[in-house]
């Protein structure tokens, strides 16, 4: 039986542990050759041989299961190192077909307490890191398409967050970066569609080393798979990377605990027209003030209801 991703090559960033690890293993299980990226310095294993750390361990797991994989320990937030990551995939496997952007960090603090360094670090790793790898992968696919005069196969899966959708108060840097990733995704989806490339974003909820403090109050069950296990997220990434998902482009999906929810794009809630050429203060006061007086107190553009999404009992 032919596997869904057989013959394809993928990159997964931040794949040494947690969510990225589960995604890399799933892509390998579905037949893809995988470049496992995780930032860090190569070291030595117990035998004294060179080791690529967590990235190398995940790559070894994929190979032990009969797949093809190699490790990359560069920093995707560095423009040239991101270029090297894409070049490695092409050199190692002869092609690049799938890019999964997962690498990220947390520096949580309220906006009035956050330092410039904490803001910059999170924006750099998440948002710039997503852009860097997307840029070089997109350039590769565009050149291939122009050379053949036909669309190529390309899949981008980006990682946003419910923190963006719900407006997490203690994560202004993270929420901003994840919102920016959605904008990057929809722009990329439109720009690359003619070349045969799709770009989608997921909002995963998973218990990982990065989020252990976030989910500290959620106890793991004594029996069965943890609803916050990364293994709940990885299959959706594998699906979005597959030929079956060719009609899915520029979408945002929430996934965790045996549930996938498709997030509707923003829509216009109300519209007011000036009776003159230009709105005056008084006219705006006359239309906007009563409108918002009738809205629920505390309601914002944030969609906090997504935090209540869960798999319904009796569906399995």
């Amino acid at each position: 039986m032919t596997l869904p991703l057989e013959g394809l090559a993928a990159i997964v960033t931040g794949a040494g542990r947690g969510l990225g690890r589960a995604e890399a293993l799933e892509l390998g299980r579905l037949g893809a050759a995988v470049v496992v990226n995780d930032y860090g310095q190569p070291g030595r294993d117990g035998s004294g041989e060179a080791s690529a750390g967590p990235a190398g361990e995940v790559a070894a797991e994929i190979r032990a299961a009969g797949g093809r994989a190699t490790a990359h320990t560069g920093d995707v937030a560095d423009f040239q190192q991101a270029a090297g990551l894409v070049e490695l995939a092409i050199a190692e496997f002869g092609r690049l077909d799938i890019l999964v952007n997962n690498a990220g960090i947390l520096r949580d603090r309220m906006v009035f307490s956050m330092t410039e360094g904490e803001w910059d670090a999170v924006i750099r790793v998440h948002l710039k890191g997503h852009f860097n790898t997307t840029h070089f992968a997109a350039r590769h696919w565009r050149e291939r398409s122009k050379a053949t005069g036909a669309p190529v196969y390309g899949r981008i899966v980006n990682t946003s967050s419910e923190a963006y959708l719900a407006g997490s108060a203690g994560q202004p840097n993270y929420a901003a970066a994840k919102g920016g990733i959605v904008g990057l995704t929809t722009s990329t989806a439109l720009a690359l569609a003619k070349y045969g490339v799709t770009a989608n974003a997921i909002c995963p909820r998973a218990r990982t080393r990065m989020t252990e403090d976030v989910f500290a109050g959620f106890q793991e069950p004594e029996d069965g798979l943890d609803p916050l296990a990364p293994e709940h997220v990885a299959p959706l990434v594998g699906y979005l990377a597959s030929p079956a998902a060719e009609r899915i482009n520029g979408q945002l999906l929430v996934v965790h605990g045996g549930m996938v929810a498709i997030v509707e794009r923003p829509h216009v809630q109300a519209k007011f027209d000036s009776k003159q050429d230009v709105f005056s203060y008084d006219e705006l006061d006359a239309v906007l003030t009563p409108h918002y007086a009738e809205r629920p107190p505390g309601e914002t553009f944030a969609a906090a209801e997504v935090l209540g999404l869960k798999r319904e009992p009796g569906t399995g």
Side-chain angles (χ1 to χ4, degrees):
M1 183 181 70
T2 302
L3 295 171
L5 304 183
E6 190 168 322
L8 303 177
I11 289 171
V12 183
T13 71
R17 301 179 177 88
L19 190 56
R21 173 183 176 274
E23 293 167 346
L25 293 174
E26 178 69 3
L27 294 184
R29 188 186 71 80
L30 294 175
V34 185
V35 178
V36 180
N37 162 265
D38 198 77
Y39 180 54
Q41 296 300 319
R44 298 279 173 180
D45 62 20
S47 67
E49 294 296 320
S51 168
E57 292 171 4
V58 176
E61 282 188 69
I62 294 172
R63 292 194 298 269
R68 300 171 64 201
T70 192
H72 179 271
T73 57
D75 178 8
V76 295
D78 180 281
F79 198 62
Q80 293 307 318
Q81 291 185 54
L85 173 58
V86 172
E87 291 166 1
L88 174 63
I90 298 167
E92 188 77 14
F93 304 124
R95 58 189 299 144
L96 173 63
D97 308 283
I98 300 159
L99 170 63
V100 179
N101 284 310
N102 169 75
I105 61 172
L106 289 179
R107 299 289 185 271
D108 293 352
R109 205 178 296 274
M110 299 296 281
V111 69
F112 42 77
S113 300
M114 182 163 289
T115 67
E116 180 183 16
E118 289 165 341
W119 173 271
D120 288 348
V122 169
I123 298 298
R124 177 183 180 273
V125 175
H126 287 274
L127 187 52
K128 188 183 178 187
H130 271 61
F131 162 73
N132 287 347
T133 54
T134 298
H135 167 78
F136 290 108
R139 195 165 73 175
H140 167 68
W141 287 323
R142 179 173 177 265
E143 290 172 356
R144 277 177 48 196
S145 179
K146 286 195 166 188
T148 61
V152 299
Y153 186 101
R155 298 285 188 270
I156 299 173
V157 182
N158 288 332
T159 306
S160 183
S161 171
E162 292 170 299
Y164 151 67
L165 291 172
S168 179
Q171 298 179 302
N173 47 4
Y174 184 69
K178 293 306 190 180
I181 285 167
V182 174
L184 172 64
T185 302
T186 53
S187 175
T188 302
L190 292 174
L192 300 186
K194 65 181 179 180
Y195 302 117
V197 179
T198 66
N200 294 288
I202 62 170
C203 293
R205 190 185 300 180
R207 193 193 309 273
T208 66
R209 189 178 65 162
M210 189 180 84
T211 63
E212 59 186 355
D213 292 336
V214 176
F215 296 123
F218 295 82
Q219 297 299 316
E220 296 186 42
E222 294 182 4
D223 299 313
L225 184 64
D226 182 359
L228 293 173
E231 287 75 15
H232 287 293
V233 176
L236 177 62
V237 173
Y239 169 75
L240 291 173
S242 76
E246 65 179 344
R247 291 179 58 84
I248 304 175
N249 193 29
Q251 302 298 309
L252 179 63
L253 302 97
V254 176
V255 55
H256 57 80
M259 181 218 73
V260 173
I262 301 169
V263 179
E264 184 180 10
R265 67 182 184 272
H267 63 274
V268 177
Q269 188 263 326
K271 175 178 177 289
F272 304 98
D273 297 316
S274 173
K275 296 178 181 178
Q276 310 165 64
D277 289 339
V278 179
F279 267 111
S280 67
Y281 170 88
D282 290 337
E283 193 177 13
L284 288 170
D285 182 30
V287 294
L288 293 181
T289 301
H291 173 77
Y292 280 104
E294 298 174 0
R295 305 298 297 175
E299 180 188 73
T300 72
F301 186 76
E305 61 271 19
V306 300
L307 299 179
L309 292 172
K310 60 181 181 179
R311 181 175 178 267
E312 295 301 326
T315 57

